[in-house]
Amino acid sequence: MANDPDVVVIGAGFAGLYAIHRLRERGLSVHGLEAAEGVGGTWYWNRYPGARCDSESYYYCYAFSSELEQEWDWSERYPGQAEILSYLEHVADRFDLRRDISFSTTVVSAAHDGDGWVIDTEDGGRWTCRWLVTAVGCLSSANVPDIPGLESFAGEWHHTGQWPHEGVDVAGRRVGVVGTGSTGIQAIPVLAESAGHLTVFQRTANFSIPARNAPLAPEEAAGYKADYAAIRELQQASTNGHPFVVSDVDTLALPDDERRALLERAWERGGLRFRAAVRDVLTDPAVNEETSDFLRSKIHETVDDATTAEALTPRDHPFATKRPPIDTRYFETYNRADVSLVDVRADPIATITPRGVRLESGAEHPLDVLVFATGFDALSGPLLRLGIRGTGGQSLADAWAEGATTYLGLGVAGFPDLFTITGPGSPSVLTNMPTSIEQHVDWIADLVAHLRAHDLEAEPTPEAQAQWAEHVREAADATLLPQAASSWYLGANVPGKPRVFLPYAGGFARYREMCDAEAAAGYPGFALRARQQAA
């Protein structure tokens, strides 16, 4: 195939696969570039022990094909990494997507030359296209902390987002885990089952809700399949792309015993739906504190040692202002005699030594395996590593020097015909990702079809982008979300990263309506230019 399709799509996970399919349906020639050896994106790379989705399987999947919905059978309430990867491999084969993807192909630069995009790859390849679509994921740029001495460590170390495909043998070995966010909370209980001793280095205690994962009974799965039309309609109308609505019960008006009973029922069901059981949990400090106190009490009920329980109890941020994990026996793991918790906020890590981890107090923890569950350079990081340059050679890194700003999370001023799936400034990580991805891809496909029909070039206007950035800030400030100072929603996990609230917190349904209005009005937030007038 000549290296000059209409559209190049970077990435072959949920977003990239659907983008290739949808754009092909619109009659465009499309080619995907994927750094991995296969499809899957996040679910190709994240193979750490316990890797599992925190959305339920029946809706953590594509909605664009009713046939696909009916033919695929999920085995668990919350699908694991291997099952999700199998699903995406099935999708790639079913819709014949692999023929339009180059695997083991890493993009090192993408520059707009005034007429289109020129993309260079690590293997010396070059691709040209009129439209560039990024489908690189929000959580794909691993954040390995810069800790002195790491290169001297005599054991082996791994980041959860770059886990060896052959696995890591931890049986009987001294294992250390740095980080207790969503990934750490998933990995720690599984690692503890095999390790000789597990030491957890915690900077920030985290809330977590039990997942209550279980096999998906055939009759339950059949019920979902029969009800998909209503499920999808509810997802489109919801705040976060999940098929459930937030309770309208004023919990503070309830008697104490009824309020406790409501929270207990939500706790017993588990999962992300816990947040929806309580109205205003992210907007009313009193409601949030009541809910946070309930969750704190659950930690103390679960963890036997009072000192350890208190160390695991979040006191510095309201519930759900950081990504709220769900877990399988996370807090119970600390009742094991072969698991230790180290508070590195009180006694920070000073250095990695050949033997293990040394704290500022001088205490040293000998280790054979060190695991970094330290997350990602979220949302903006995956885009910045592509080496994108727009009009006049301006780099995306320079354009975002004071923080990532976009228009609708879909494009960036100064970067013509570049479209970002679930980019900064979109609901993205605050939603069920497949729901947001399909909405983004459909919108982009419609715009590209419009541009092709009229031979136009498009980029957001600086004015529209500035107004959207202000709206994103205001939407976040209307919630308690910015109160979690250490949250990766703000980029706080990456040293030197500008502190701006990255996702759009105004809700998925509201966002979708604004995108639809933008299209219906003829894309007023974009400068549309005849191509012969392009700079």
Side-chain angles (χ1 to χ4, degrees):
M1 173 183 176
N3 291 7
D4 58 351
D6 295 325
V7 187
V8 165
V9 175
I10 304 177
F14 264 101
L17 292 178
Y18 183 53
I20 293 169
H21 173 71
R22 188 76 179 91
L23 290 162
R24 281 199 325 202
E25 282 190 328
R26 300 305 295 258
L28 294 145
S29 60
V30 189
H31 199 78
L33 304 178
E34 170 55 58
E37 295 177 359
V39 301
T42 292
W43 301 107
Y44 177 92
W45 297 108
N46 284 263
R47 304 184 184 215
Y48 60 86
R52 188 174 298 281
C53 185
D54 57 7
S55 293
E56 295 186 47
S57 56
Y58 74 92
Y59 65 86
Y60 190 78
C61 52
Y62 291 116
F64 71 86
S65 167
S66 58
E67 293 83 4
L68 178 62
E69 288 175 333
Q70 297 301 316
E71 70 193 23
W72 184 263
D73 295 315
W74 295 102
S75 68
E76 293 183 275
R77 181 179 178 187
Y78 294 96
Q81 174 270 330
E83 186 167 16
I84 300 171
L85 181 58
S86 294
Y87 170 75
L88 292 172
E89 290 173 336
H90 170 75
V91 170
D93 292 335
R94 191 191 191 289
F95 296 97
D96 191 22
L97 302 177
R98 296 179 197 270
R99 65 180 167 89
D100 286 325
I101 305 172
S102 294
F103 295 105
S104 302
T105 303
T106 301
V107 172
V108 294
S109 69
H112 196 269
D113 65 359
D115 186 50
W117 286 92
V118 179
I119 300 107
D120 290 321
T121 59
E122 194 173 62
D123 60 4
R126 171 164 284 190
W127 293 77
T128 61
C129 61
R130 183 165 165 186
W131 296 284
L132 178 61
V133 176
T134 61
V136 291
C138 300
L139 301 172
S140 59
S141 182
N143 176 41
V144 179
D146 184 14
I147 302 175
L150 180 58
E151 72 285 349
S152 74
F153 184 51
E156 57 180 301
W157 69 267
H158 305 282
H159 188 281
T160 51
Q162 301 169 332
W163 201 257
H165 290 190
E166 67 275 14
V168 178
D169 183 9
V170 300
R173 304 174 79 186
R174 299 167 299 181
V175 180
V177 176
V178 179
T180 53
S182 298
T183 299
I185 283 173
Q186 286 188 335
I188 285 164
V190 181
L191 290 169
E193 292 175 0
S194 300
H197 191 276
L198 180 69
T199 303
V200 178
F201 299 91
Q202 173 189 270
R203 182 185 64 177
T204 304
N206 220 334
F207 292 103
S208 186
I209 311 297
R212 312 295 186 198
N213 190 38
L216 193 60
E219 58 273 18
E220 185 179 2
Y224 292 138
K225 289 185 177 185
D227 204 29
Y228 258 131
I231 288 168
R232 300 309 192 187
E233 184 177 353
L234 186 55
Q235 285 179 260
Q236 291 298 313
S238 72
T239 301
N240 49 26
H242 296 276
F244 47 81
V245 296
V246 177
S247 169
D248 61 358
V249 175
D250 183 356
T251 56
L252 295 183
L254 296 175
D256 289 349
D257 58 340
E258 291 185 26
R259 184 163 58 249
R260 180 78 186 193
L262 182 152
L263 292 169
E264 288 284 1
R265 288 193 299 272
W267 175 263
E268 286 305 315
R269 190 195 187 284
L272 293 177
R273 197 172 297 208
F274 180 90
R275 289 176 297 173
V278 182
R279 190 183 76 176
D280 300 331
V281 73
L282 271 176
T283 55
D284 188 321
V287 172
N288 191 290
E289 185 60 18
E290 182 82 20
T291 309
S292 297
D293 279 344
F294 171 82
L295 295 174
R296 293 177 185 124
S297 73
K298 287 298 183 183
I299 297 171
H300 281 264
E301 288 175 16
T302 304
V303 180
D304 295 338
D305 180 74
T307 301
T308 303
E310 182 54 30
L312 289 165
T313 300
R315 303 287 183 187
D316 64 348
H317 66 278
F319 166 63
T321 56
K322 292 167 67 76
R323 184 183 178 101
I326 63 174
D327 71 88
T328 299
R329 299 188 63 78
Y330 171 67
F331 292 110
E332 291 87 342
T333 298
Y334 292 94
N335 293 330
R336 299 176 60 116
D338 55 2
V339 174
S340 303
L341 179 67
V342 176
D343 182 357
V344 295
R345 176 168 292 181
D347 191 2
I349 295 173
T351 187
I352 307 294
T353 72
R355 297 180 64 246
V357 172
R358 181 182 297 154
L359 307 180
E360 287 187 357
S361 66
E364 187 167 4
H365 295 268
L367 300 171
D368 303 306
V369 180
L370 181 57
V371 176
F372 290 108
T374 46
F376 301 89
D377 183 354
L379 283 97
S380 57
L383 293 165
L384 290 173
R385 68 180 180 177
L386 297 176
I388 296 173
R389 291 187 175 274
T391 303
Q394 181 188 33
S395 71
L396 188 62
D398 286 344
W400 286 355
E402 297 182 4
T405 56
T406 66
Y407 181 52
L408 298 171
L410 291 161
V412 185
F415 296 81
D417 290 340
L418 167 69
F419 303 111
T420 54
I421 302 174
T422 62
S426 74
S428 60
V429 294
L430 300 179
T431 69
N432 175 50
M433 288 301 297
T435 306
S436 279
I437 284 167
E438 287 187 312
Q439 182 269 333
H440 269 58
V441 170
D442 290 343
W443 195 92
I444 291 168
D446 288 346
L447 174 53
V448 169
H450 175 79
L451 297 176
R452 182 178 60 167
H454 299 282
D455 200 24
L456 298 173
E457 174 186 271
E459 67 174 282
T461 67
E463 296 78 15
Q465 180 166 289
Q467 290 170 6
W468 182 251
E470 179 62 16
H471 179 61
V472 170
R473 186 192 65 77
E474 290 174 349
D477 288 345
T479 73
L480 303 176
L481 285 163
Q483 292 190 21
S486 61
S487 170
W488 56 259
Y489 292 155
L490 288 158
N493 63 320
V494 178
K497 186 170 181 174
R499 299 294 188 263
V500 297
F501 195 82
L502 290 163
Y504 175 62
F508 172 74
R510 180 185 181 190
Y511 171 82
R512 179 175 54 79
E513 290 171 358
M514 288 187 288
C515 288
D516 290 347
E518 172 74 19
Y523 308 101
F526 286 78
L528 302 181
R529 299 182 292 261
R531 293 192 73 213
Q532 60 267 27
Q533 296 173 5

